[in-house]
Amino acid sequence: MRVGRRTVEVHRPDKVLFPAGADGKEYTKGDLVDYYRSVAAFMLPHLRGRPLMLERHPDGLDGPRFMQKNTPEHYPEWITRVEVAKEDGTVVHTVCDDSATLVHLADQACLTLHRWLSRVGRVDRPDLMIFDLDPSGDDFEAVRRAAGQLCELLDELRLPSAPMTTGSRGLHIVVPLDGRQGFDEVRAFARDAADLLAAEHPDELTTAARKKDRGERLYLDVLRNGYAQTAVAPFTVRALPGAPVAMPIAWEQLDDPGLGPRRWTIADAVEQARTAPWSGVSNRGRALGPARRRLDALRG
C-alpha cells in the first residue's frame, strides 16, 4: 500500500480482529488499516512528537493483549523512535509522525494508541492536562453532569478545555498547556481542582483512588498527569466489541441525547472527525500559574 512517500506492506488484511457483535458487523485488519489511513490527517496532530504505548491484539479481541513500550528492532528504520528515562534504565518508544507509521502500526494489529502528555525534547514538561471522568457503572448521565461541572470550573479558572468520548465508559476532558510546568506541578493542580469539585458535589463525585471507597459516585481520575503515564489518543480505536473510537466532540454535543461513550466506531468516525470539533482549542495552551492563583483563591 502506498502511503505518502512510503510503501507499507499489510499482512493478512482479511484477518478478523473484531468478531461480529450484536449488530452483526465484524471488522478485519484491512478495515482497521483503512480507518487509520482515512483518519490520519485529523489524528496525526495529536500524535506527532509524543512517545506512544501500543496496545496490540495480534489475534484480535479473542486473543492475548500486548502492551508494547519498547520499539521492536524489526520495525522499519524510517519510523521515529525516542529513548526516554525510566526507573531502571531507558525505554525506546515509537513515535507516530506520519501516515505510513500509522498504517504500519495497524498492520501490527495495534488497535489502540496511548500517548504521552509531553513531547520529544521536553518529555518532562507536559503540554496537556487530562481529567478522566470514570462512572461507577454505565450511567452516562452522571458523566454529562460531571463534565458540565468541570467545564464551569475550568472556565472560571480561564483554562480552555475540550471533551472526548473514550470509546469505553466515560469522557476525557483535555486542557492544553504551554509546557512550562513539570508533571508534579500539573498533577497537583489537577488533583486540587478535582478535590474542589468533589467537595462541592460530595454525593456525585469522588477522588478516592480505591474502588471500595467510591460507592456509586463518579471518579475524577487525575493520575494520568504523571511522568510516563499515558492516555488514549484522539481518534484511536478501542479494543472492545464493535470497534468504538475515542472521539473529540464539541461541548454543545453533550446535549445530544444520542451521545454515549461508544457513539462512534470505525464505520462512521471519520465523518465526525471532518467536523473539526476541537478547532482552535488545542492551539491555545495556557500557562498554569494564573490558573493556580485563581484555584487557590477558590479553595480559600
Side-chain angles (χ1 to χ4, degrees):
M1 176 181 290
R2 191 68 181 174
V3 186
R5 297 180 295 109
R6 311 285 184 189
T7 298
V8 182
E9 187 174 358
V10 178
H11 305 82
R12 301 182 65 189
D14 294 331
K15 183 178 181 64
V16 175
L17 298 180
F18 296 86
D23 59 1
K25 295 181 180 179
E26 67 177 20
Y27 297 104
T28 65
K29 184 193 286 187
D31 294 325
L32 183 72
V33 167
D34 289 343
Y35 166 72
Y36 274 132
R37 191 183 188 193
S38 298
V39 83
F42 310 103
M43 188 175 185
L44 286 172
H46 303 284
L47 297 176
R48 286 193 180 101
R50 298 187 187 277
L52 298 176
M53 180 171 67
L54 308 175
E55 183 177 346
R56 297 179 56 214
H57 294 253
D59 295 317
L61 294 189
D62 294 335
R65 178 184 74 160
F66 299 93
M67 302 301 290
Q68 179 178 301
K69 294 183 179 181
N70 264 311
T71 305
E73 293 184 1
H74 68 267
Y75 273 24
E77 62 180 13
W78 45 262
I79 288 180
T80 305
R81 298 156 168 83
V82 60
E83 186 173 4
V84 300
K86 64 174 184 176
E87 282 188 12
D88 56 350
T90 61
V91 176
V92 179
H93 285 272
T94 299
V95 180
C96 186
D97 285 334
D98 54 32
S99 300
T101 300
L102 197 53
V103 169
H104 175 77
L105 295 179
D107 174 60
Q108 298 297 301
C110 174
L111 304 189
T112 308
L113 283 68
H114 303 257
R115 62 175 180 166
W116 278 44
L117 306 189
S118 58
R119 298 177 188 266
V120 174
R122 291 174 60 86
V123 293
D124 59 340
R125 300 283 174 173
D127 60 359
L128 296 173
M129 177 169 58
I130 290 183
F131 296 85
D132 182 4
L133 310 187
D134 184 12
S136 61
D138 293 322
D139 182 10
F140 195 68
E141 289 306 312
V143 179
R144 290 181 203 266
R145 289 194 303 272
Q149 293 157 354
L150 180 56
C151 178
E152 290 180 4
L153 175 59
L154 293 172
D155 283 348
E156 193 169 357
L157 299 175
R158 300 179 194 175
L159 288 174
S161 62
M164 180 182 79
T165 65
T166 61
S168 181
R169 295 195 309 171
L171 290 173
H172 283 180
I173 308 302
V174 182
V175 179
L177 304 174
D178 65 0
R180 294 182 183 178
Q181 284 79 24
F183 276 101
D184 289 345
E185 190 172 351
V186 171
R187 182 170 53 186
F189 180 95
R191 168 48 66 95
D192 288 346
D195 282 342
L196 176 62
L197 204 59
E200 293 176 348
H201 306 277
D203 297 330
E204 301 178 52
L205 307 175
T206 181
T207 57
R210 295 182 179 180
K211 286 187 176 181
K212 66 181 183 65
D213 296 330
R214 300 176 197 166
E216 299 299 315
R217 295 175 295 176
L218 180 140
Y219 175 40
L220 296 171
D221 184 0
V222 300
L223 297 180
R224 301 182 189 281
N225 299 289
Y227 179 79
Q229 298 300 309
T230 61
V232 292
F235 306 108
T236 199
V237 180
R238 302 306 303 272
L240 294 168
V245 169
M247 179 57 66
I249 60 173
W251 276 110
E252 54 267 25
Q253 287 182 276
L254 280 179
D255 297 327
D256 181 356
L259 181 67
R262 304 183 191 183
R263 162 64 182 82
W264 288 276
T265 72
I266 62 174
D268 60 2
V270 177
E271 298 174 15
Q272 165 69 5
R274 291 194 180 105
T275 67
W278 285 2
S279 179
V281 174
S282 59
N283 296 323
R284 298 203 306 267
R286 296 288 177 84
L288 209 52
R292 164 53 81 180
R293 292 190 288 273
R294 295 184 190 104
L295 178 61
D296 288 345
L298 291 176
R299 297 171 64 222

